[in-house]
Amino acid sequence: MGYLFKNISIITIDSNKPEVIIGDLLVEGSKISKIGTKIPKSAHKVIEGKNLLVMPGFINTHAHVSMSLLRGYGDDLELFEWLSSRIWPIESKLTKKDVYIGAKLGIAEMILSGTTTFLDMYQDMEMVGKACQEIGIRGHISRGTIYTGNEKLDHAALLQLEELIDQYHNYDDGRIKVLAGPHAIYTNNKEFLKAQLEIANRRNIGVNIHVSETEKENEDALLTLGKTPISYLDEIGLLDAPYVVASHMVYLTEEDQLIVKNKNIGIAHNPKSNLKLGSGIANIQKYRNKGINVGIGTDGAASNNNLDMLNELQYASLLQKGLNRDATALSAFETLKMATIGGAKVLNINDRVGMLKEGYDADLIMFDMNQPHFYPIENSHISKIVYSAKSSDIVLTMVKGKILMRNRDLTTIDLEKTYKEVSKIMERVYKEND
Ligand SMILES: [Zn+2]
C-alpha cells in the first residue's frame, strides 16, 4: 500500500518531461514508483482534490538550524560585530540540549515551509543529528570549527567530527550525511583546515565552508595571504576534497570563478542573509552562465530571519533581475530548479532527490492553489509558485515516503511543547547574561 496523488498538477523538474503535467504519482515505500495517468487506486491511500500541485521538496543548502534560538537577538549589525558582540557570547551559553531544542524549532519551520533536505553547520552537531533522526527530515550535518589555538580543544573538535561520522553518516539509507565544516578561512588556520581536509578525504565526505561572504574577508585575505579566499583554498588542496559546498561567494574574481567551475565547487547562495548583514549581492546569473552549480540557502534564522525557502526563491530571482538590469535573468523555472535539483547537485545527491522521477526517493511537497493569489488558475503555475505563493499554501511535506506535515500539522514534532522548551532556555540564558 502506498500514497497515490491523483489527478493533480505535477512539476517534476525532470528535463525529459514537460514543465507541468497533469496526472498521478504513486509513492510506494520510500520511493516514487510511478508517474502517469489513470494509475489504479487499488489499496493505496488516495490524495486528490481540486487545484493541488506536487513538486520536489526544497533543498536548503545553507543553514544553522539551532540558531533559531537567536532569532531577533542582535539585528542591524555588520557581520564581524554581529558575530563577536552578540552571537558568539550567547552561543557559548548554549548547552547540548539547547542545541537540540533549537534544531527542533528550526526543522519545524523548515518542514512547514516545504524544505525536505538541509545542510547545517553548528556546534554539538550530534544533537542536530539526533533531531533529524527522530523527525525524519533529510539532514546533512557539518561540525562547524573555529581554530582556538588551544591544542586540547582543537583536537577535541577533530575527534568530534570523526565521532559524528561514525554515529550518523549514511544513517537510514543515506538520509543523514556528515560533512567537515571549517567555519571560514578567517577562523581556521592552514594546519587546521588541512587536518579537516585529511579527515574528509580519508572518510570520503564533503566539506562545508563559508567563503567570500564580505568584501572585508577578501581584502583581509589579499593583505595577509596575498590571495583571494578561493585561490588560497585551492592552493592548500581543500578544493580537491570529495566535494565542497561553499556558501555565500558574494565576491568572486573572474579567476576565482574559473577555479570554482574547474573544481566543480557547489555554491550555496543566501540572498536574504547577504542583504541583511549588508554583505552585498552575489552575481548568481553570471556564475550560472559560466556553468557553475548554485543552490539556495537561508543561512541561520538570526541573519535572515526565517528558514523559509519560498521567501528565499523570491529574493533570489528578483535580485538578479535588478542587479543585472535584466528582466530575463533567473527566470521562475530556473529559480525553481536552483532550489531543487540545483541544491541536490550541490549536496551530491542528485541521483536520488531534487526531481520527481520513478525510482527517486519520495521527497516532495504539495501546494493547495485554492487561494486568491493563485488565480487565474489557468496561467503558469511555475510563475505563481515563485512570485506569488506563500509557504502557508504548502499542505503536505513528505521525506522518503513518510508524511512529516499534512494540512499544516506536523506529524513528528510537538510544536507547543517545543515552544515551551524554547522559552525556558531563553529565560535561563538571559539570566546568565545579567
Ligand atoms: Zn552561515
Side-chain angles (χ1 to χ4, degrees), residues 79-94:
L79 179 70
F80 284 94
E81 199 193 336
W82 175 72
L83 283 174
S84 55
S85 76
R86 303 295 283 177
I87 299 302
W88 287 337
I90 198 165
E91 278 182 343
S92 68
K93 297 194 170 63
L94 298 179

Side-chain angles (χ1 to χ4, degrees), residues 62 64 210 247-248 299-300:
H62 187 68
H64 310 276
H210 297 89
S247 55
H248 303 302
D299 211 348

Side-chain angles (χ1 to χ4, degrees), residues 97-357:
K97 182 159 182 235
D98 299 344
V99 170
Y100 169 70
I101 302 297
K104 281 223 281 200
L105 179 66
I107 293 170
E109 184 187 357
M110 290 199 292
I111 294 171
L112 283 163
S113 50
T115 292
T116 49
T117 300
F118 71 107
L119 168 57
D120 206 65
M121 177 197 285
Y122 213 54
Q123 62 203 35
D124 301 317
M125 287 305 289
E126 69 277 16
M127 303 315 284
V128 181
K130 178 172 144 71
C132 294
Q133 225 171 16
E134 292 169 0
I135 294 165
I137 195 166
R138 194 179 293 277
H140 290 212
I141 56 180
S142 62
R143 205 289 179 197
T145 60
I146 288 176
Y147 179 70
T148 65
N150 176 324
E151 211 177 308
K152 223 168 127 188
L153 284 178
D154 294 331
H155 183 68
L158 298 178
L159 222 66
Q160 282 163 10
L161 171 59
E162 299 255 21
E163 284 166 5
L164 199 66
I165 301 167
D166 292 339
Q167 199 178 352
Y168 287 106
H169 191 53
N170 284 331
Y171 170 82
D172 189 15
D173 188 30
R175 177 165 63 79
I176 301 180
K177 300 256 182 211
V178 174
L179 292 85
H183 170 265
I185 62 161
Y186 58 89
T187 45
N188 284 260
N189 67 9
K190 194 198 273 186
E191 287 65 38
F192 206 44
L193 286 170
K194 281 190 159 176
Q196 292 171 77
L197 171 65
E198 186 277 321
I199 297 175
N201 283 335
R202 175 163 45 80
R203 306 294 300 264
N204 194 26
I205 60 165
V207 175
N208 180 23
I209 181 167
H210 297 89
V211 187
S212 284
E213 180 170 359
T214 61
E215 216 163 10
K216 183 179 184 314
E217 181 183 334
N218 273 36
E219 283 166 2
D220 288 351
L222 286 170
L223 212 67
T224 56
L225 307 163
K227 289 191 163 50
T228 62
I230 272 294
S231 56
Y232 169 70
L233 289 171
D234 189 29
E235 185 192 70
I236 67 170
L238 196 117
L239 302 186
D240 298 312
Y243 67 100
V244 177
V245 183
S247 55
H248 303 302
M249 305 279 261
V250 181
Y251 297 96
L252 294 186
T253 62
E254 290 293 325
E255 200 189 325
D256 287 342
Q257 291 171 44
L258 203 66
I259 296 171
V260 168
K261 166 75 183 123
N262 289 339
K263 298 279 177 171
N264 199 22
I265 304 304
I267 296 182
H269 172 48
N270 306 276
K272 266 183 83 184
S273 170
N274 296 153
L275 285 177
K276 182 157 181 279
L277 290 170
S279 303
I281 304 169
N283 200 329
I284 293 306
Q285 174 75 356
K286 207 168 155 193
Y287 301 168
R288 282 171 52 93
N289 284 345
K290 293 193 170 149
I292 295 171
N293 191 26
V294 185
I296 299 180
T298 57
D299 211 348
S303 64
N304 187 311
N305 286 3
N306 59 35
L307 305 176
D308 183 337
M309 280 289 284
L310 203 49
N311 200 227
E312 214 68 36
L313 256 76
Q314 290 161 354
Y315 271 85
S317 173
L318 298 181
L319 276 175
Q320 291 308 306
K321 295 175 192 303
L323 178 69
N324 292 289
R325 294 197 180 87
D326 175 6
T328 68
L330 211 54
S331 69
F333 194 47
E334 288 304 313
T335 309
L336 216 49
K337 285 200 281 188
M338 238 168 83
T340 52
I341 192 66
K345 279 185 194 154
V346 168
L347 300 190
N348 213 20
I349 48 172
N350 53 311
D351 58 343
R352 58 187 304 177
V353 296
M355 291 191 265
L356 301 184
K357 191 175 169 178

